[in-house]
Amino acid sequence: MLYCEAEPPPPVDKEKPAQESSETDLEIEDAEKLFTTGQRELYTEACKLVGVVPVSYFLRNMDEAFLSLNHHGLGPNGTKAIAIALVSNTTVISLDLEDNCIMEEGVLSLVEMLQENYYLQELNISNNALGLEGARIISQFLQRNSSSLLNLQLSGNDFRDESAELLCLALSANYRIREMDLSHNQFSDKGGELLGQMLSLNVGLVSLDLSWNHLCSRAAVALCNGLRANVTLKTLDLSMNGFGNDGAAALGEALRLNGSLAYVDVSANNISNEGVSKIGRGLEINESLKVLKLFLNPMSIDGAIILILSIKRNPKSQMEKLDISNVMVSEQFVKMLDGVYAVHPQLDVTYKAVQGLSVKSTFFLWTNPMKLIQSYADQQKITILDFFKSLNPAGTVKMPVGEFWKTMIQQNKVPLNRFQLRELTKRLDNKKGMVDFSQPTLEQGKTTEETMSGGLPEAAPSGDGLTHTYSAC
C-alpha cells in the first residue's frame, strides 16, 4: 500500500481496522497526522515518495478553486503525487491536467483520489494518450456513481470504438456526470451506435461534445435515434463529422420528438440542401431548440430559405440563433428574413453577406451601440445600468440572452440594427447563456473602427478562400 507522511515527526505504526481494507492506495496511513501536516508539506513528501520534482505552480496555487496544470509534463508519477495531495483537499473544485502524458497509471491515481475527495467537480484530462486501458479505468470509476465529479473532459485521447463500448456502458448507468467532452477521438460506425444506445438510457448528461470524430451516416443515424428518447441533454456538439444528408434526416426526425435539446452544432458535416430540408421539418415542430449551427456545410441560399421559413411556420419556436455564416444571400432573402423576425423577434440569423452589397464599407459607418446608449442615458440623467435594468421585468442586472435580444429589438428608446445588437450582446454575454450589464462602460464598447481594424464582423465573415475537408467516411 502506498502511504505518504511528512518526515517530522517519525511515522507511527498503526494497524488498519478490518473494515478499511477496501480503501485505495492513496490513503495516508496516519490519518491524524494528515490534518496536522500542511498540504504543501504533504505534496512535497509525496513527490519524494514517487521520485519526481515538485511542481512549483501547484505549490503556489493548491489553495485556489480553479487549478490549471496543463502542459506541465507531469507523467504518471507526477500525477500520482498530485493525486495524493488532493485526497484531503477541500478548495480545488476544477482541475486541468490536459497534455501531461499521464497515461493509464496516472488515471488510476486520479480515480482513486476521486473516491475520497468530494469537492472536485471538474476534471480535464484531455490529450493524455489514455487509449483503451485508460477508458477501462474511467468506465469502472463512472459505474460506481460515487464521486462529486460533474464535468469530465476526455478530448483527444485516441479513444476508438472499443473505448466507446466501455464508456457508453458506464454512462448508461451513471447519473452524476453532467458535462462530457469526447471530441477529437476516433469514434466511427460502431461507436455511433453505442453512443445512441447510451443517450437513450442516460439521465444525467446535459452537455456532450462529439466534434472531430468519424461519425458518418450510419453512426449519425444511430446516434440521432438515441436522441429521440433522451430527456436531459441540452447541448450537443457534432461539428466536424460526416453526417451527410442521411444523418441530417435522422437529426430532423430527432428534433421533432426531442423536447430538451437547446443547442446543436452540426457545422462541417457535408449536409447539402437535401439534408437541410429534413432538418427544417424538425424545426417546424420543435419547441426547445435555441441555437442551431450549420456553418461550413455545402448548402446554398435555397437551403437557407427552407430553414428560415421552417422557423416562421412554427409559432412555438424558441430559436434564438441560426448560424449559416458561409452562405451568400440575396436582398430577397433579407426581406423574407425581416418577415421571420416579425414573428420571432428573438431570432438572429448570421449569414456571409448580401450579394451586390459591400458589407465592409457600410459596417464602418455604424455607430458604437454603447455610445448610443450612453448618449440616451445622459439625456435622461440616468446611468447605463438604470437603462438596462428598466428593460428587464425582473429589475436585475442579468437576463437570458434570448430575452435580452427580443427586448432590445422591441424597445424604441435606443434603436439599434441587428449588427449593433449582435456586437452589444457579444460584449455583455457572460458565456453562460446570460447577459450581465452590472458594469457596462464605454470601454466595453470601443468604436467600430477600433474593433474592426482586423476585418469583417462576425455576422458577415469574408470566408474568401475558405476550404474544409470533411471527416473521412
Side-chain angles (χ1 to χ4, degrees):
M1 172 179 283
L2 172 65
Y3 66 92
C4 176
E5 49 191 23
E7 289 180 351
V12 177
D13 274 340
K14 192 169 185 178
E15 188 175 346
K16 218 170 216 202
Q19 64 266 28
E20 295 185 0
S21 60
S22 62
E23 300 287 357
T24 72
D25 68 350
L26 294 179
E27 277 194 292
I28 313 303
E29 268 197 349
D30 193 343
E32 290 80 2
K33 285 191 177 62
L34 170 64
F35 298 101
T36 58
T37 301
Q39 292 282 313
R40 290 171 179 79
E41 288 80 2
L42 177 63
Y43 172 60
T44 303
E45 290 301 314
C47 288
K48 290 180 182 178
L49 184 67
V50 299
V52 297
V53 177
V55 177
S56 59
Y57 181 86
F58 182 62
L59 285 168
R60 294 194 307 270
N61 295 279
M62 60 194 309
D63 293 331
E64 299 293 328
F66 299 90
L67 186 59
S68 178
L69 290 168
N70 53 358
H71 318 302
H72 270 71
L74 296 175
N77 287 338
T79 304
K80 176 175 278 191
I82 286 174
I84 291 173
L86 291 178
V87 166
S88 59
N89 184 285
T90 61
T91 57
V92 177
I93 62 173
S94 177
L95 177 63
D96 185 352
L97 296 176
E98 180 176 359
D99 185 28
N100 274 289
C101 199
I102 69 176
M103 308 182 76
E104 55 264 28
E105 295 92 338
V107 174
L108 185 59
S109 298
L110 290 172
V111 299
E112 289 179 347
M113 174 268 293
L114 288 168
Q115 299 297 322
E116 305 295 329
N117 182 312
Y118 289 97
Y119 294 87
L120 194 62
Q121 298 178 17
E122 301 178 2
L123 177 63
N124 182 3
I125 47 176
S126 299
N127 298 306
N128 273 296
L130 302 185
L132 182 60
E133 287 307 308
R136 193 184 313 279
I137 295 169
I138 293 170
S139 175
Q140 293 170 352
F141 161 68
L142 292 177
Q143 289 180 66
R144 298 189 188 106
N145 273 305
S146 58
S147 83
S148 60
L149 200 64
L150 302 176
N151 183 331
L152 181 57
Q153 299 178 51
L154 298 169
S155 176
N157 274 303
D158 197 29
F159 290 152
R160 300 176 185 272
D161 287 349
E162 296 81 0
S163 299
E165 184 173 5
L166 294 168
L167 295 172
C168 289
L169 175 65
L171 289 172
S172 295
N174 183 281
Y175 53 84
R176 291 184 180 273
I177 297 293
R178 294 290 182 263
E179 300 179 42
M180 175 77 80
D181 183 355
L182 290 169
S183 63
H184 291 270
N185 282 296
Q186 308 293 325
F187 301 143
S188 56
D189 286 351
K190 183 61 176 177
E193 293 177 8
L194 294 164
L195 287 164
Q197 294 170 14
M198 179 273 293
L199 286 173
S200 68
L201 298 172
N202 180 274
V203 293
L205 283 174
V206 296
S207 177
L208 178 62
D209 189 346
L210 292 170
S211 61
W212 290 94
N213 276 279
H214 302 299
L215 302 173
C216 302
S217 296
R218 177 182 160 191
V221 171
L223 190 148
C224 290
N225 286 342
L227 288 174
R228 298 183 188 185
N230 187 279
V231 296
T232 58
L233 194 66
K234 295 184 180 299
T235 299
L236 179 61
D237 190 343
L238 297 165
S239 59
M240 304 296 174
N241 280 286
F243 267 43
N245 292 331
D246 290 341
L251 177 60
E253 186 60 28
L255 290 177
R256 291 172 62 88
L257 301 173
N258 183 285
S260 63
L261 278 172
Y263 176 107
V264 174
D265 188 347
V266 282
S267 300
N269 266 280
N270 201 25
I271 299 172
S272 67
N273 290 345
E274 178 187 346
V276 165
S277 67
K278 304 296 175 59
I279 293 176
R281 293 178 186 175
L283 293 177
E284 292 178 2
I285 301 295
N286 187 277
E287 299 179 13
S288 65
L289 193 65
K290 294 183 177 181
V291 178
L292 176 60
K293 294 191 174 185
L294 282 159
F295 179 57
L296 281 178
N297 281 294
M299 59 183 290
S300 68
I301 186 174
D302 293 331
I305 291 174
I306 290 172
L307 290 170
I308 65 172
L309 292 182
S310 296
I311 296 171
K312 183 178 182 180
R313 284 192 287 266
N314 182 356
K316 296 183 178 180
S317 174
Q318 300 296 313
M319 281 292 295
E320 296 176 0
K321 184 173 182 62
L322 175 62
D323 184 353
I324 50 172
S325 48
N326 64 303
V327 179
M328 183 76 75
V329 302
S330 65
E331 291 188 54
Q332 181 185 7
F333 174 88
V334 174
K335 292 178 181 178
M336 296 175 64
L337 187 56
D338 286 338
V340 179
Y341 286 154
V343 179
H344 298 292
Q346 80 282 358
L347 179 64
D348 179 30
V349 178
T350 56
Y351 46 83
K352 181 177 180 181
V354 180
Q355 296 171 356
L357 293 182
S358 174
V359 177
K360 189 172 183 178
S361 62
T362 57
F363 185 78
F364 280 96
L365 301 177
W366 294 334
T367 305
N368 170 24
M370 195 63 82
K371 282 193 173 182
L372 291 175
I373 295 172
Q374 180 70 68
S375 176
Y376 173 83
D378 291 343
Q379 293 174 11
Q380 300 298 316
K381 298 182 179 180
I382 61 174
T383 65
I384 294 180
L385 180 58
D386 290 333
F387 167 77
F388 283 125
K389 289 177 69 174
S390 70
L391 300 177
N392 187 357
T396 60
V397 296
K398 294 181 181 179
M399 63 189 301
V401 171
E403 291 183 16
F404 175 74
W405 183 278
K406 183 177 180 179
T407 300
M408 289 299 296
I409 286 290
Q410 294 176 334
Q411 61 86 31
N412 56 13
K413 298 176 181 178
V414 183
L416 301 176
N417 63 42
R418 287 182 175 268
F419 288 95
Q420 290 171 316
L421 183 51
R422 188 177 293 125
E423 180 68 16
L424 178 63
T425 304
K426 181 180 178 181
R427 294 184 181 278
L428 298 178
D429 191 348
N430 68 359
K431 310 304 179 184
K432 297 180 181 179
M434 305 285 284
V435 290
D436 184 349
F437 34 79
S438 56
Q439 293 181 328
T441 65
L442 285 174
E443 188 63 29
Q444 286 178 296
K446 294 181 180 179
T447 63
T448 300
E449 291 80 5
E450 290 175 307
T451 59
M452 288 312 303
S453 59
L456 291 174
E458 179 187 358
S462 66
D464 294 338
L466 188 59
T467 59
H468 173 70
T469 302
Y470 296 101
S471 175
C473 295

